[in-house]
Amino acid sequence: MKHFLPVLALSFIFVASCKTDNSKTLKTDIKAPTAEKQPKTLSIHNDDRVDNYYWMNDREDPKVIDYLNLENEYYQESTAHTKAFQTDLFEEMKARIKEDDSSVPYKLNGYWYQVRYETGKDYPIYTRRKGSLEAEEEIMFDCNEMAESHAYFNLGGISISPDNKYASFGIDTVSRRKYTIQIKNLETGELFPEKIETTTGGSTWANDNKTLFYTRKDEQTLRSNQIFKHKLDNSAEDDVMIFEESDETFNAYVYKTKSRDYIIIGSSSTMSDEYQILNANTPDADFKLFSERRRGLEYDLAHYKDDFFILTNKDEAQNFKLMKTSIGSTSESNWEEVIPHRKDVLLEGVDIFNNFLVTSERYNGLSRIRVQSWDESEDYYLPFTSETYTANTTTNVDFDTNKLRYSFNSLTTPASVIEFDMVDKTEKVLKEQDVQDSSFDKDNYISERIWATAEDGSEIPVSLVYKKGIKRDGNNPLLQYGYGSYGATMDPYFSTTRLSLLDRGFIYAIAHVRGSEYLGRDWYEKGKLLHKKNTFTDFIDVSEYLIDQKYTSPDHLYAMGGSAGGLLMGAVINMSPELYNGVIAAVPFVDVVTTMLDESIPLTTGEYDEWGNPNEEDYYKYIKTYSPYDNVEAKDYPNMLVTTGLYDSQVQYWEPAKWVAKLRELKTDQNKLYLDTNMDAGHGGASGRFEALKELSKDYAFLLDLEQILK
């Protein structure tokens, strides 16, 4: 839980589909590829596994590329009859987007910063204005120009020097999350010649305006393990490594506190954190250890005046509590309690102001924002009355303000950025998402939260949205989404693209299964390691409940998930394939045993505390019982669309490729099975807002075609 850090949130756009009696629409003269079998025996713990498709894990092998291209051709030819519909869907979804849009500006160190888009252009333009919003606009980065000649482009990690003169930034043009850091003189527009390769993309300036700290990645595993110091005008070859994280289960990172007084080096694993601190005015001094790492102790830091505030699970505070300590006595033994642990409230984040402490909480699955004055005269919650919604604090970069910015949206309500006055308790909407569709009316849709009973008696929350007039007669197509790993909570949010499903009669459901933190930290703990199967059985129990309550039926129920949610898809179709008419698995993590035994693969060692280390026999045996690739059988499976990216750094492309090959070999049905590999992208799919819509239109067309809805 990195509550005080900027979090890079990966957005997956998934959909699922199909209709069993529609498989006859597949042209009989189009033959699915057959992958060559090259048996390889993998042995450990006196157990042998035979992998016929292990050979696919060589990205440089022309035979592998040929196979992926054959699968792409098969998918394209088999879905050629939906091409025009895909275009219609793309134009429909694009038309709802305000193309000349911009973010709410925020002020930092004398400048107003804003991100905007221009009509017809795919990428953002990063701008700033000095002193006031009426000042002349300075374009820092026009990503449309920078992305020219690149099939994929992503800019991230922009960091402005304290004197506002320089900007460091990272660029990835492969989609492998190996960023190259460069520095730009914002006054002259010139780029410094230095290029720092294989980094996370993020960096932070010391207060001398010439020292830059950044994180390098291991070339093979892509683990962020080294912190370097770069001096302006020096060659990157002269950069000094100031910290190396030797524990392969930890990742390292560096950032600056909101106070801009301290540079922080962090080291984190799934279950432990450790920090080192340095006064930002003395970049050449030595970092000081904040408190020694201890397995099971998680915490985050925020600096304010003479203290550090610590969000932590110390003393078995499973749902976290807030503590503080003076800057001169930072070891764990000196931490003092500010907000105690509460069994029924998950403490998710903290925003500190001169006069107020704002905490982000989760109670009974719903977000809450609490405001407390330091003088204890005020203590209240922002009023939210919706049955299911999402509310988060946003960009609050100044201590010396009584204005809190937060975002609010729900499955039926477009997103808003709101400024709340914590003194007089009034609020102003700074920006509301503009749905470019004259027929859209949020009152035409209904959202609700229902509870399904799991096989062990646990109550599983489900968020639903659908158009008014839907009858619960079992005939509705329903798209059920799930993730359920890493404690990541998929909150109900508004989507303009989802309207293309809702307006065609679909119900959309989010199953808040165990493995997330929707119902607190315990909900996560009961969906990981040797409890991982709860994630899968929860999803299945939700499906059965939706069918039992006649929201849908097996002929119209679709499941979707991506990455670890793709693992969820693979597990549930092995366990209960008869429940689903179709499934989309995006960048799915499906070869769990082999991947978690290979320490050279990115993310493996850092995730032992999430999945278990199969080098230990108990974990090996347990993971093997649910690993989708290892449990493919000769039986009927739903219609399926599987997507991946050749340069995926999170889930290697060969996992879904092998999985599809094995499914083709063993499945006994005639249902559709497609593998669509983006040969230019990685885990997040295509770059650019419109290219991403094209990918989504392919997913939606697959789904709607199989529901015989092609208009």
Side-chain angles (χ1 to χ4, degrees):
M1 297 177 72
K2 299 293 157 281
H3 305 280
F4 296 126
L5 290 177
V7 176
L8 177 61
L10 301 178
S11 297
F12 299 104
I13 304 175
F14 319 128
V15 191
S17 69
C18 306
K19 190 171 179 66
T20 52
D21 62 356
N22 289 351
S23 58
K24 62 186 179 183
T25 63
L26 183 63
K27 294 181 181 178
T28 56
D29 59 341
I30 302 174
K31 186 174 177 60
T34 300
E36 179 183 346
K37 295 168 66 172
Q38 296 181 15
K40 180 179 178 63
T41 300
L42 305 169
S43 302
I44 191 173
H45 306 307
N46 296 315
D47 183 63
D48 295 334
R49 292 179 302 124
V50 177
D51 188 346
N52 290 322
Y53 306 106
Y54 189 87
W55 60 271
M56 291 187 186
N57 71 348
D58 184 357
R59 188 182 288 103
E60 304 304 319
D61 186 347
K63 186 170 61 176
V64 173
I65 301 301
D66 288 345
Y67 172 72
L68 295 177
N69 283 328
L70 283 174
E71 284 284 2
N72 280 350
E73 290 171 11
Y74 172 68
Y75 166 64
Q76 293 295 335
E77 291 177 9
S78 300
T79 59
H81 63 288
T82 70
K83 292 299 183 186
F85 186 46
Q86 290 179 34
T87 300
D88 291 344
L89 284 170
F90 168 74
E91 295 297 341
E92 176 182 302
M93 291 186 287
K94 181 182 176 183
R96 295 195 192 101
I97 298 174
K98 189 175 188 296
E99 292 196 42
D100 57 340
D101 204 2
S102 59
S103 67
V104 176
Y106 67 90
K107 192 174 184 181
L108 176 64
N109 197 26
Y111 279 81
W112 286 92
Y113 289 89
Q114 190 170 35
V115 182
R116 62 178 177 82
Y117 287 88
E118 293 183 349
T119 300
K121 295 185 178 181
D122 247 326
Y123 292 95
I125 300 171
Y126 293 88
T127 73
R128 68 177 186 175
R129 299 173 189 268
K130 186 175 182 179
S132 75
L133 290 172
E134 286 69 44
E136 182 180 357
E137 178 186 74
E138 299 177 26
I139 294 179
M140 299 188 296
F141 302 100
D142 185 339
C143 294
N144 299 285
E145 295 179 357
M146 299 170 72
E148 290 178 3
S149 78
H150 296 293
Y152 177 91
F153 179 85
N154 186 34
L155 180 146
I158 298 173
S159 180
I160 309 297
S161 61
D163 62 3
N164 296 311
K165 184 176 181 179
Y166 304 110
S168 57
F169 61 98
I171 291 178
D172 176 12
T173 58
V174 179
S175 188
R176 190 117 176 105
R177 299 188 185 176
K178 293 165 62 176
Y179 289 82
T180 298
I181 291 177
Q182 294 181 261
I183 300 170
K184 183 175 183 178
N185 185 322
L186 295 176
E187 294 180 351
T188 66
E190 296 178 353
L191 285 175
F192 283 72
E194 292 81 31
K195 292 186 177 181
I196 306 172
E197 308 285 349
T198 318
T199 77
T200 61
S203 56
T204 190
W205 293 90
N207 288 345
D208 64 353
N209 301 298
K210 64 181 181 180
T211 305
L212 189 71
F213 295 91
Y214 64 90
T215 310
R216 272 208 167 118
K217 289 186 169 186
D218 181 274
E219 185 70 40
Q220 175 67 30
T221 67
L222 301 186
R223 182 171 71 92
S224 51
N225 63 331
Q226 297 175 333
I227 308 298
F228 277 79
K229 180 169 61 176
H230 174 78
K231 293 290 186 179
L232 208 61
D233 293 320
N234 286 5
S235 168
E237 295 179 356
D238 297 330
D239 290 356
V240 178
M241 185 176 70
I242 56 175
F243 175 72
E244 182 169 22
E245 178 52 69
S246 59
D247 189 326
E248 292 184 345
T249 67
F250 279 72
N251 285 285
Y253 47 93
V254 62
Y255 68 100
K256 200 174 194 178
T257 57
K258 175 180 172 179
S259 65
R260 303 193 284 278
D261 290 337
Y262 285 90
I263 306 292
I264 308 288
I265 293 176
S267 294
S268 295
S269 69
T270 304
M271 298 183 64
S272 304
D273 299 289
E274 182 181 76
Y275 295 92
Q276 301 172 63
I277 61 175
L278 175 70
N279 190 305
N281 293 316
T282 57
D284 294 325
D286 293 330
F287 278 78
K288 170 192 171 186
L289 183 65
F290 188 84
S291 188
E292 290 186 6
R293 71 180 64 180
R294 175 166 62 83
R295 181 167 173 79
L297 177 65
E298 300 175 60
Y299 68 100
D300 293 325
L301 294 181
H303 171 247
Y304 178 63
K305 293 185 177 179
D306 296 328
D307 297 308
F308 279 99
F309 284 78
I310 308 144
L311 191 59
T312 179
N313 67 348
K314 178 177 162 58
D315 303 323
E316 300 182 357
Q318 187 179 41
N319 276 333
F320 288 75
K321 62 182 177 180
L322 186 64
M323 307 185 78
K324 74 173 183 178
T325 192
S326 68
I327 58 176
S329 304
T330 59
S331 62
E332 183 185 347
S333 61
N334 297 306
W335 299 358
E336 301 174 357
E337 192 169 88
V338 177
I339 297 178
H341 174 257
R342 290 160 291 174
K343 187 176 181 180
D344 59 346
V345 177
L346 175 65
L347 187 56
E348 293 187 310
V350 173
D351 288 277
I352 298 173
F353 300 86
N354 277 338
N355 298 319
F356 295 94
L357 171 66
V358 177
T359 51
S360 298
E361 306 175 350
R362 188 175 296 274
Y363 172 73
N364 196 32
L366 299 180
S367 303
R368 303 196 305 190
I369 298 176
R370 182 184 183 186
V371 178
Q372 298 170 273
S373 60
W374 292 114
D375 64 8
E376 300 183 350
S377 63
E378 296 279 7
D379 187 348
Y380 59 89
Y381 287 90
L382 271 59
F384 303 131
T385 57
S386 300
E387 185 174 3
T388 179
Y389 62 87
T390 299
N392 299 297
T393 62
T394 58
T395 308
N396 293 287
V397 296
D398 290 331
F399 288 109
D400 191 20
T401 179
N402 292 324
K403 305 290 180 64
L404 168 72
R405 285 190 180 184
Y406 73 94
S407 64
F408 179 89
N409 75 112
S410 73
L411 289 167
T412 59
T413 306
S416 295
V417 176
I418 300 167
E419 186 174 77
F420 180 80
D421 190 310
M422 294 180 283
V423 174
D424 62 23
K425 302 182 179 64
T426 59
E427 65 182 31
K428 178 172 66 173
V429 176
L430 300 179
K431 179 181 177 62
E432 184 173 41
Q433 184 179 2
D434 190 354
V435 182
Q436 300 281 288
D437 183 349
S438 59
S439 66
F440 172 74
D441 182 347
K442 65 181 181 181
D443 293 330
N444 289 336
Y445 304 89
I446 296 173
S447 66
E448 60 177 321
R449 187 171 62 161
I450 61 176
W451 300 78
T453 303
E455 60 181 13
D456 65 359
S458 299
E459 293 296 308
I460 312 160
V462 186
S463 296
L464 294 168
V465 62
Y466 48 87
K467 199 166 186 179
K468 283 183 178 178
I470 290 289
K471 296 180 180 179
R472 284 167 51 182
D473 57 7
N475 294 320
N476 304 303
L478 188 149
L479 183 57
Q480 181 181 332
Y481 167 74
Y483 187 75
S485 293
Y486 306 109
T489 299
M490 300 302 157
D491 282 311
Y493 66 95
F494 182 79
S495 166
T496 61
T497 57
R498 192 189 299 134
L499 295 174
S500 292
L501 293 181
L502 301 183
D503 289 347
R504 289 175 171 88
F506 269 78
I507 298 172
Y508 181 80
I510 303 173
H512 303 290
V513 295
R514 279 174 282 194
S516 76
E517 289 182 346
Y518 187 84
L519 292 180
R521 187 71 169 183
D522 186 59
W523 200 243
Y524 168 44
E525 299 291 344
K526 289 179 178 176
K528 62 184 286 196
L529 297 173
L530 297 177
H531 302 291
K532 187 63 211 171
K533 288 184 183 178
N534 284 334
T535 302
F536 317 138
T537 56
D538 281 0
F539 193 89
I540 290 169
D541 290 334
V542 167
S543 299
E544 291 176 338
Y545 183 77
L546 292 169
I547 292 169
D548 180 67
Q549 296 298 307
K550 297 190 181 302
Y551 284 97
T552 190
S553 65
D555 285 341
H556 299 283
L557 177 57
Y558 306 97
M560 72 174 189
S563 194
L567 161 62
L568 172 59
M569 297 299 100
V572 300
I573 63 169
N574 281 334
M575 298 167 69
S576 297
E578 73 283 354
L579 291 178
Y580 307 98
N581 201 31
V583 168
I584 283 185
V587 293
F589 175 38
V590 286
D591 191 15
V592 188
V593 178
T594 304
T595 291
M596 294 306 296
L597 282 170
D598 188 346
E599 296 180 2
S600 70
I601 294 177
L603 302 185
T604 291
T605 56
E607 299 198 351
Y608 286 154
D609 288 328
E610 178 71 26
W611 311 104
N613 182 353
N615 290 294
E616 299 176 23
E617 189 170 3
D618 287 348
Y619 285 115
Y620 173 82
K621 289 180 177 179
Y622 185 77
I623 294 171
K624 187 182 174 185
T625 64
Y626 69 74
S627 176
Y629 183 65
D630 292 286
N631 288 280
V632 174
E633 298 176 327
K635 62 184 178 185
D636 288 358
Y637 282 91
N639 297 285
M640 295 181 63
L641 172 60
V642 181
T643 65
T644 187
L646 181 62
Y647 297 102
D648 197 326
S649 61
Q650 309 301 102
V651 178
Q652 308 305 307
Y653 72 90
W654 60 75
E655 293 199 37
K658 289 166 49 177
W659 185 44
V660 167
K662 191 171 183 179
L663 283 165
R664 287 207 193 287
E665 174 193 352
L666 295 178
K667 75 188 190 80
T668 56
D669 59 83
Q670 296 300 311
N671 290 333
K672 300 183 180 184
L673 174 59
Y674 300 137
L675 173 66
D676 181 22
T677 303
N678 188 323
M679 305 301 283
D680 297 314
H683 200 64
S687 62
R689 53 180 178 162
F690 299 139
E691 288 303 312
L693 285 181
K694 289 177 183 177
E695 291 191 347
L696 183 58
S697 68
K698 289 160 61 175
D699 294 344
Y700 278 19
F702 177 77
L703 169 61
L704 292 163
D705 177 33
L706 293 166
E707 274 291 317
Q708 298 183 350
I709 303 172
L710 285 176
K711 60 180 182 177

